[in-house]
Amino acid sequence: MGKLFGTDGIRGVVGENLTADLAFRAGQAVGTVLMEEKGGRPTVVLGKDTRISSDMLESALMAGICSVGGDVKPVGTIPTPAVAYLTRQERADAGIVISASHNPYEDNGIKIFSSQGYKLSDELESRIEEKILSDQPMKLRSGEEIGRRHHGMRQLKREYIDFAASTIESDLSGLRILVDCANGAASATAPELFGRFKAHTVFLHRSPDGLNINARCGSTHMEELAELVVKEGYDVGVAFDGDADRCLLVDEKGGMIDGDKVIAVCALDLKRQGRLRGNAVVATVMSNLGLHEFCRNYGIDLYCTDVGDRYVLEEMLRHDYHIGGEQSGHTIFTELETTGDGEVTALQFLQVLANSEKKASELAAVCAAYPQVLENIEVPHSGGVKEKIMESPALAEAIRKEEAALAGDGRILVRASGTQALIRVMVEAKTIEIARNTTGRLVDFIKSLKF
């Protein structure tokens, strides 16, 4: 990846390394590259999440795109996957989402989709980045060549909701569902979407104020959801992140149903219907050993990629597999969409649950969860510290020794976050105590490194 684009677009702290000036120049660069590709006026679908900074960045991006002759269709607050969907439906040349997903409100980001609704290619990202960072001015348009903002685009949200509702046949009658919208983009779509079905659905954290997105709620903070599901007798709880591209659930006992379990439940249902293309699922190296065991038990092939839903999708498209995702809740159904979609994922799982006549805990039990500990270590944003840590021979030796101590009864993964200034240490082991102790030693070792 380049200096600006990480594994999920441009991310940063607003007012520090992500500014209105940068967003304006990014808009100019996107518009200019699309103009070069198309040979004429491009059109961009633009959506955002509920962060206080999203309006500012939206205005800057629109101004940048229009200044170089591009048109913009702003669809307002809407989930990330809705922008990918609407980009295709509107035959736009690109889609842009202003969001930092599950990050706190101080962060924000700029994610770009191609005209086909896929994340932008590395080649186009590099061209856009080069123009943003260049000292050379981009060609400004005047007169009738100036780009336009299209008005009346908010109704496109309903088109996305219509699509999402159409992805299942069940009416979900009989289910009691508690949904946590994370005070994010799902607040704008989930109530109407779930209202299309006969399930009894209640919503939490659907009152965004610009500052409360992901704040002790949503898929990164599921304690309240789990407690209320048990206390008030719901069949299942659903949690989205800030831009609603990921979904995690809790069962009727308050137990976590993570992305691995969602993949297992939905893949097994597809297999029973004879619709599991290639008899395979795609996950990442972060997937729990329980998913590996599930696949062996049910005769399903499992392919693991590097961490990042873009790598999962690339593998799925390469071999025409239909289901894949990440433990963190990004689940991709390529028969339905070009990217992970938390609301569509929730509906797929809920349909299986409604048709199964089982409890959510029974359904998810097909995929065990081995004890796993994940700890994040904050590192400086600048100076290439993440890269230096990951290239350290001393760290490689420390990991090798800890892996030897596990003697094949666990695994270790140390990786740099693609979107934040973090080193992530993940350990799975036979017991939680072993996992915690191993993680603790590696975290202490990494913190002791000096660069």
Side-chain angles (χ1 to χ4, degrees):
M1 295 298 167
K3 297 176 182 178
L4 292 176
F5 285 92
T7 57
D8 208 20
I10 300 171
R11 288 276 180 94
V13 179
V14 179
E16 295 181 13
N17 57 344
L18 179 55
T19 64
D21 287 343
L22 176 60
F24 174 73
R25 194 155 178 86
Q28 287 187 311
V30 169
T32 299
V33 169
L34 292 177
M35 185 82 74
E36 293 170 352
E37 287 287 298
K38 186 177 183 180
R41 182 189 295 269
T43 300
V44 178
V45 172
L46 179 60
K48 60 186 176 181
D49 70 16
T50 59
R51 291 163 214 273
I52 191 172
S53 60
S54 290
D55 291 346
M56 175 186 76
L57 297 175
E58 176 190 45
S59 297
L61 278 162
M62 280 198 291
I65 293 167
C66 291
S67 73
V68 296
D71 289 348
V72 182
K73 292 186 174 184
V75 293
T77 300
I78 202 165
T80 287
V83 172
Y85 173 79
L86 292 172
T87 298
R88 299 195 316 276
Q89 292 299 110
E90 291 296 297
R91 294 185 172 87
D93 299 290
I96 300 179
V97 183
I98 302 162
S99 176
S101 189
H102 59 283
N103 289 18
Y105 84 91
E106 298 93 342
D107 296 348
N108 216 327
I110 300 169
K111 182 189 299 187
I112 308 171
F113 290 105
S114 72
S115 60
Q116 290 79 38
Y118 295 113
K119 290 185 178 179
L120 213 58
S121 70
D122 290 342
E123 187 268 332
L124 280 180
E125 279 189 355
S126 295
R127 286 171 59 189
I128 291 169
E129 183 171 279
E130 183 179 347
K131 291 185 182 298
I132 294 172
L133 297 175
S134 170
D135 293 331
Q136 298 299 314
M138 284 168 268
K139 182 179 180 181
L140 299 179
R141 305 290 168 165
S142 61
E144 64 181 14
E145 292 185 343
I146 293 173
R148 301 173 183 271
R149 168 184 173 159
H150 291 242
H151 293 273
M153 292 296 104
R154 300 296 175 93
Q155 82 277 5
L156 294 179
K157 179 177 73 173
R158 182 153 294 172
E159 291 188 18
Y160 165 72
I161 293 172
D162 290 344
F163 156 73
S166 74
T167 63
I168 62 172
E169 297 178 355
S170 171
D171 63 9
L172 305 182
S173 59
L175 290 181
R176 284 173 46 82
I177 307 166
L178 186 60
V179 176
D180 185 341
C181 295
N183 290 316
S187 304
T189 53
E192 182 176 345
L193 174 60
F194 282 82
R196 304 280 183 93
F197 301 95
K198 294 182 179 180
H200 172 74
T201 307
V202 175
F203 299 89
L204 299 172
H205 304 296
R206 54 169 292 194
S207 301
D209 62 9
L211 308 179
N212 60 4
I213 185 171
N214 300 316
R216 298 181 299 281
C217 60
S219 62
T220 52
H221 301 278
M222 298 179 63
E223 300 82 7
E224 180 186 7
L225 179 67
E227 180 182 344
L228 289 175
V229 165
V230 175
K231 181 180 178 181
E232 300 182 12
Y234 288 94
D235 296 305
V236 65
V238 177
F240 301 116
D241 64 339
D243 68 336
D245 67 348
R246 72 172 68 184
C247 164
L248 298 176
L249 303 99
V250 295
D251 64 33
E252 79 286 354
K253 299 177 181 178
M256 173 74 74
I257 302 176
D258 64 13
D260 287 345
K261 289 179 177 287
V262 170
I263 290 170
V265 168
C266 293
L268 189 56
D269 186 64
L270 289 171
K271 184 178 176 72
R272 287 169 176 162
Q273 296 178 52
R275 294 174 49 218
L276 185 61
R277 182 69 63 87
N279 191 47
V281 301
V282 181
T284 77
V285 292
M286 287 288 284
S287 62
N288 192 277
L289 286 171
L291 182 62
H292 293 252
E293 184 178 82
F294 159 80
C295 288
R296 286 195 301 271
N297 291 343
Y298 288 92
I300 296 172
D301 295 327
L302 174 64
Y303 299 94
C304 290
T305 71
D306 290 338
V307 175
D309 58 325
R310 69 183 299 157
Y311 303 117
V312 172
L313 180 60
E314 286 171 4
E315 183 72 8
M316 293 173 71
L317 294 176
R318 189 176 296 118
H319 300 286
D320 197 24
Y321 299 142
H322 282 178
I323 183 169
E326 298 185 281
Q327 187 186 53
S328 58
H330 287 116
T331 308
I332 305 171
F333 298 86
T334 53
E335 277 189 307
L336 303 174
E337 287 185 277
T338 58
T339 189
D341 186 327
E343 292 175 311
V344 168
T345 296
L347 292 177
Q348 306 313 301
F349 183 93
L350 292 170
Q351 176 169 253
V352 179
L353 178 62
N355 292 341
S356 70
E357 299 184 353
K358 293 181 178 180
K359 300 288 187 182
S361 59
E362 296 175 89
L363 206 61
V366 296
C367 181
Y370 282 71
Q372 185 182 82
V373 173
L374 174 64
E375 192 162 337
N376 296 322
I377 307 165
E378 293 187 3
V379 297
H381 281 274
S382 58
V385 175
K386 281 197 301 187
E387 292 75 13
K388 291 174 183 176
I389 289 173
M390 295 308 301
E391 293 168 1
S392 167
L395 175 59
E397 178 61 18
I399 294 171
R400 188 196 64 76
K401 288 181 179 178
E402 294 291 352
E403 286 176 333
L406 291 175
D409 289 325
R411 64 187 184 120
I412 296 169
L413 182 65
V414 178
R415 54 177 287 269
S417 169
T419 58
Q420 294 172 275
L422 300 172
I423 298 293
R424 305 189 193 278
V425 178
M426 188 276 286
V427 177
E428 287 175 354
K430 292 176 68 175
T431 68
I432 192 67
E433 290 78 15
I434 294 174
R436 284 175 179 158
N437 291 338
T438 304
T439 301
R441 288 192 295 270
L442 284 170
V443 167
D444 289 343
F445 182 84
I446 291 170
K447 289 180 176 179
S448 73
L449 293 171
K450 304 296 181 184
F451 295 101

